[in-house]
Amino acid sequence: MSNPSQPLPPNCIPFGAGETDPVLTGSDYLQQLRQVAIASDMIQLPESISQRLQINRWIGLHVESVNAQLRQYLSNCQHCFKPHQQVPAQVLAAPLSERYGIDAVCNLQTTPVTLLIDVGQIEPSDWQMAITHEYAHAQVGSPGHAEPFRQILHHLCLGLALPVPAATLTAQQLSSWPACRHRADKFAFWEGKL
């Protein structure tokens, strides 16, 4: 609760009873992501305070609807397997650090398995493909791209009508299959500019 004798900071809008500040909601969400990421520094925002505030606000207002779409894509993957074969998994939109050079990741150490998808880097029409790749890791239980991964990915791609990986693809080629289109400025999405 704010102290009535102290003025509110500039650009701060007081919230009434029962209302939640979207900036705080976004900040809490990012903190939760850091707890389920393989390393907490995988979740990263720009250095600019104004950009950080804008991203936190956008996340607080919109991330649940984005996550609902991602959950549907994850459900599509899970339905490619019989119920007893489905790996319990969750999927979350996450601004991933550029230093890792990835646009999605599967953390096999969490229960359920956590898929983090940088929806700012990947075109929305390709979100299903990124989730398919990461769910294949969850099914195999391994971060590598060896033959068992290719077989599971092949099965998923067939079931979802996505491009099927050929048996001749190398592990390096499989590491980005199916290929997703990327945006030049990933933070534009997270700031709500797209």
Side-chain angles (χ1 to χ4, degrees):
M1 186 152 185
S2 64
N3 182 338
S5 64
Q6 293 180 331
L8 291 171
N11 302 324
C12 182
I13 300 170
F15 282 81
E19 292 183 43
T20 305
D21 182 343
V23 173
L24 293 177
T25 302
S27 180
D28 289 345
Y29 177 81
L30 291 170
Q31 191 57 35
Q32 292 169 3
L33 289 179
R34 289 182 181 99
Q35 293 174 11
V36 295
I38 293 171
S40 63
D41 68 343
M42 290 186 104
I43 309 303
Q44 186 179 40
L45 298 183
E47 294 297 320
S48 162
I49 296 296
S50 63
Q51 276 185 292
R52 285 175 178 252
L53 288 172
Q54 179 65 28
I55 291 169
N56 279 329
R57 178 175 172 68
W58 186 91
I59 287 172
L61 292 171
H62 303 287
V63 80
E64 185 46 43
S65 63
V66 171
N67 280 340
Q69 181 64 59
L70 298 181
R71 284 191 297 271
Q72 181 56 56
Y73 293 143
L74 174 59
S75 178
N76 295 345
C77 290
Q78 289 175 316
H79 283 102
C80 290
F81 297 90
K82 293 177 181 174
H84 71 278
Q85 296 173 316
Q86 296 173 5
V87 173
Q90 65 179 342
V91 62
L92 300 164
L96 298 175
S97 172
E98 293 175 353
R99 84 173 207 166
Y100 283 90
I102 57 174
D103 50 29
V105 66
C106 175
N107 188 350
L108 298 165
Q109 304 305 313
T110 60
T111 304
V113 170
T114 302
L115 314 181
L116 298 177
I117 309 298
D118 193 334
V119 295
Q121 282 191 68
I122 303 168
E123 289 292 338
S125 58
D126 292 348
W127 292 351
Q128 176 71 78
M129 292 192 283
I131 291 169
T132 301
H133 181 98
E134 298 308 325
Y135 188 69
H137 284 298
Q139 277 291 137
V140 175
S142 167
H145 299 98
E147 183 58 19
F149 173 83
R150 191 199 65 77
Q151 290 174 1
I152 291 292
L153 186 60
H154 184 274
H155 174 78
L156 283 163
C157 288
L158 275 177
L160 298 168
L162 298 174
V164 177
T168 57
L169 291 183
T170 65
Q172 179 64 33
Q173 291 168 318
L174 285 171
S175 70
S176 59
W177 191 276
C180 297
R181 290 168 295 149
H182 295 86
R183 293 191 175 110
D185 179 8
K186 77 172 192 167
F187 290 119
F189 179 90
W190 290 105
E191 292 177 88
K193 294 178 179 176
L194 297 176

